[in-house]
Amino acid sequence: MGVRKEMRRRRSGWRADKGWRQFWMKPRVVSGVAVAIAFLVWLTVTSLQWVSPLFLPSPQAVGASFITTLQQGYKDQPLWLHILASMGRLAWAFLLTLGTAIPLGLLSGCIPQVQAVLDPFIEFYRPLPPLAYYTLLVIWLGIEDGSKIALLYLAGFAPLYLAAAAAVKRIPQDRLNVARSLGASSVQIFFHVIFPSCLPELFTGLRTAIGFMYTTLVAAEMVAAVSGLGWMVLDASKFLRSDVIFVGIFIMGGIAMMIDWGIRWVEGRQLPWVGKG
Amino acid sequence: MFPSGFSTSTRSLIRLRGVSLSYPLARGAIEVLRNIDLELGQRDLVCVIGPSGCGKTSLLQLMAGYIQPTVGSITVAGQPHTQPSAEVGVVFQQPNLFPWLTIAQNVEFGLKMQGMPKADRHKYTAEFLQLVGLLDAAKRLPYQLSGGMKQRVAIARALATNPKIILMDEPFASLDAITRETMQLHLKQIWRQTQKSIFFITHDVEEAMLLATRILVMYPNPGRIVKDITNPFAHELGHLSAGQLRSSKAFAEMREYLVAGIRGAYQYQ
């Protein structure tokens, strides 16, 4: 590979300054520059006081607020407890979704009757805005974690279930036939061929599901909660603490990016064959 | 000119009796295969040629047990054959390897499904990887292999479960010409070493003449076997190269004879 790169460089008359030009063209560098420019605009706008700090706090204020929240917590609770509260709800709902949506989705893909039973319910509740039935869940399960986990579970179940059911139908028939001709039983085919064949789509479905769950989580904490990142942001807005709002939003966004990055990392390690002949 | 074919075996492995296949349509039915009688014995390497649409692949799917005949019966070693089993191995045009399993795991898949103990499995797997010359690639994943290598893995995987007969549906059709020739030699060697009975579909007349002990010619509308010929060149490849064979007069005559036979099919299309 080194040789090929070198050849390409020579052919294109590579010089040091051209190397730099190539460096600035790299997508990651471009992303970095875009973010840096946005930050600079933010810094300029606030230090020249073009907008009131009530609407847009300065980066320094947000940084200072981040450090105070980190040290003293928010409303008698340390920041990590707020994060933990949110993440705990997400984790429980995630495990429940994983444990039900994948097996049910795969079964639906294999057995039309199973799909026929589940589909009307899923088709009905999937387009509903989660907050519409959240009020019901709160009445049934209370304002504590139970209602939130149930809400997140419902938000994540549909996308993962649909991804699993669709993935089964995309398995090449010849692959299943090969397995049958090697003497595999239906149950063996389910576990040793159908499940691994669907893994790439399951990972994609998982990322979509977590995305849905995460947005729902923040919304749910904003409607009814006494802890969590969503609640923190909502509570801060009542006291016009836009610096705290910004801290909360940055943490939410950062965590979401880390979760997605984590799933893609696992996928890359576990499924190196995806998308390759 | 050429003698009519007969099974070189003492015992038939797979037998099709009066097999017909038709699919119902909105009005009437389409007849894919009509009245096929076929018997394959031990150490037969039967190549099937014929124009597209003559029902070659349908015949293979019947023999594999993926579909059931409308009329007639199929027996494997005397037992009715109604669903796919490890008795009848299959190799498709595409290797269809399990992309998440290593080469060795692909080859041992069938043995694992049969519940063979791990130590035995490894022994057999190594043996068959050796046979197709891919022992060094055992730990690699399918996507890291070339097309020809993948197809060799598919053959090893089909052999590993020790099937009575192996069905191949144009297994070398999507390979480049040079690789195809190597693969033909390979298959012939494997066939000699394992003494398996092979049913091989091809659209390449020369491939059939290089490989087969017996050549079947099929015609379409409805699909049927019109010629069953013992291949006079059955045991030449190996002593002579494919090139030497091709340049011989007898080979060219036989080729002409078969091509004319296939051309005759077009009146039915």
Side-chain angles (χ1 to χ4, degrees), chain A residues 172 174-185 188-189 192-194 196-197 271-274 276-277, chain B residues 61 64 66 84-86 88-90 92 96-100 109-110 112-114 141 143 150 157-158 161:
Chain A
D174 280 353
R175 186 182 286 174
L176 300 175
N177 281 343
V178 161
R180 293 206 289 165
S181 287
L182 291 169
S185 67
Q188 284 175 326
I189 288 177
H192 293 280
V193 182
I194 292 178
S197 289
L271 313 173
W273 46 274
V274 172
K276 293 165 188 159
Chain B
Q61 290 191 321
Y66 301 146
S85 75
V88 182
V90 182
F92 292 98
N96 280 302
L97 301 180
F98 303 119
W100 58 90
F109 183 87
K112 194 176 167 186
M113 295 301 111
Q114 287 168 11
L141 285 171
Y143 77 86
K150 275 191 239 183
R157 181 176 64 175
T161 51

Side-chain angles (χ1 to χ4, degrees), chain B residues 59-242:
Chain B
L59 183 58
L60 179 133
Q61 290 191 321
L62 279 169
M63 291 165 79
Y66 301 146
I67 50 177
Q68 299 305 314
T70 319
V71 186
S73 70
I74 300 170
T75 52
V76 173
Q79 300 299 313
H81 183 59
T82 52
Q83 57 180 2
S85 75
E87 305 258 270
V88 182
V90 182
V91 177
F92 292 98
Q93 183 175 344
Q94 300 305 321
N96 280 302
L97 301 180
F98 303 119
W100 58 90
L101 296 179
T102 64
I103 298 314
Q105 287 167 335
N106 262 285
V107 173
E108 75 173 351
F109 183 87
L111 302 175
K112 194 176 167 186
M113 295 301 111
Q114 287 168 11
M116 182 184 276
K118 209 169 190 173
D120 294 351
R121 248 158 46 202
H122 289 333
K123 200 187 80 195
Y124 277 107
T125 305
E127 210 171 279
F128 284 106
L129 281 175
Q130 180 85 55
L131 183 70
V132 296
L134 283 172
L135 202 52
D136 294 338
K139 294 222 166 75
R140 289 206 254 166
L141 285 171
Y143 77 86
Q144 296 164 315
L145 266 57
S146 70
M149 288 160 99
K150 275 191 239 183
Q151 202 56 285
R152 265 144 67 193
V153 178
I155 293 172
R157 181 176 64 175
L159 283 166
T161 51
N162 196 23
K164 295 199 161 59
I165 173 170
I166 297 178
L167 313 173
M168 298 188 169
D169 193 355
E170 304 198 17
F172 308 147
S174 56
L175 302 176
D176 64 84
I178 311 276
T179 314
R180 194 182 310 143
E181 266 191 28
T182 325
M183 291 294 288
Q184 287 163 354
L185 266 172
H186 251 298
L187 182 70
K188 198 89 189 203
Q189 274 168 7
I190 289 167
W191 174 71
R192 284 205 191 99
Q193 284 179 33
T194 59
Q195 312 227 322
K196 287 285 169 203
S197 181
I198 296 176
F199 179 83
F200 189 105
I201 292 177
T202 179
H203 57 251
D204 182 345
V205 175
E206 286 188 7
E207 184 168 72
M209 289 166 63
L210 292 173
L211 291 175
T213 56
R214 232 170 108 193
I215 298 174
L216 306 180
V217 179
M218 288 183 73
Y219 276 12
N221 292 331
R224 58 203 188 275
I225 298 168
V226 292
K227 283 194 172 74
D228 188 341
I229 309 160
T230 303
N231 182 14
F233 307 99
H235 302 288
E236 300 295 335
L237 191 67
H239 313 298
L240 296 171
S241 74

Side-chain angles (χ1 to χ4, degrees), chain A residues 3-239:
Chain A
V3 175
R4 217 184 274 172
K5 212 177 212 174
E6 185 57 31
M7 294 287 283
R8 212 182 309 137
R9 278 176 182 174
R10 284 188 191 169
R11 221 178 302 133
S12 62
W14 186 80
R15 290 196 313 272
D17 57 325
K18 280 208 173 167
W20 276 111
R21 204 177 295 164
Q22 277 177 357
F23 172 78
W24 288 112
M25 286 306 187
K26 283 183 180 162
R28 278 188 189 202
V29 178
V30 174
S31 299
V33 170
V35 172
I37 289 174
F39 183 79
L40 280 177
V41 169
W42 181 21
L43 192 66
T44 321
V45 166
T46 48
S47 34
L48 296 178
Q49 300 197 326
W50 287 348
V51 288
S52 152
L54 199 59
F55 297 126
L56 187 64
S58 68
Q60 302 93 309
V62 172
S65 170
F66 178 66
I67 289 165
T68 17
T69 348
L70 212 56
Q71 283 166 347
Q72 298 164 15
Y74 183 77
K75 293 276 167 89
D76 308 328
Q77 274 210 64
L79 181 64
W80 65 265
L81 265 184
H82 286 293
I83 296 179
L84 197 71
S86 293
M87 290 306 111
R89 289 162 193 156
L90 195 66
W92 275 113
F94 177 70
L95 288 177
L96 275 174
T97 314
L98 217 58
T100 55
I102 290 178
L104 285 175
L106 293 179
L107 275 176
S108 263
C110 296
I111 309 167
Q113 285 76 15
V114 173
Q115 187 168 31
V117 169
L118 292 172
D119 262 10
F121 300 100
I122 289 161
E123 291 302 320
F124 174 73
Y125 99 82
R126 192 172 63 99
L128 293 177
L131 293 185
Y133 51 83
Y134 182 43
T135 45
L136 265 183
L137 291 175
V138 170
I139 294 171
W140 292 340
L141 299 168
I143 199 174
E144 298 297 321
D145 280 355
S147 58
K148 285 174 194 60
I149 292 170
L151 181 77
L152 300 192
Y153 168 70
L154 287 172
F157 181 86
L160 190 54
Y161 164 88
L162 291 174
V168 174
K169 289 176 183 161
R170 271 200 295 273
I171 302 175
Q173 184 60 42
D174 280 353
R175 186 182 286 174
L176 300 175
N177 281 343
V178 161
R180 293 206 289 165
S181 287
L182 291 169
S185 67
S186 303
V187 176
Q188 284 175 326
I189 288 177
F190 185 81
F191 287 106
H192 293 280
V193 182
I194 292 178
F195 175 66
S197 289
C198 296
L199 274 176
E201 277 103 335
L202 289 181
F203 267 100
T204 313
L206 212 58
R207 285 170 63 193
T208 322
I210 289 223
F212 274 117
M213 287 159 94
Y214 197 73
T215 43
T216 316
L217 167 72
V218 174
E221 287 177 347
M222 286 182 155
V223 172
V226 286
S227 65
L229 284 169
W231 173 79
M232 191 176 101
V233 168
L234 186 82
D235 195 69
S237 76
K238 287 179 190 153
F239 302 97

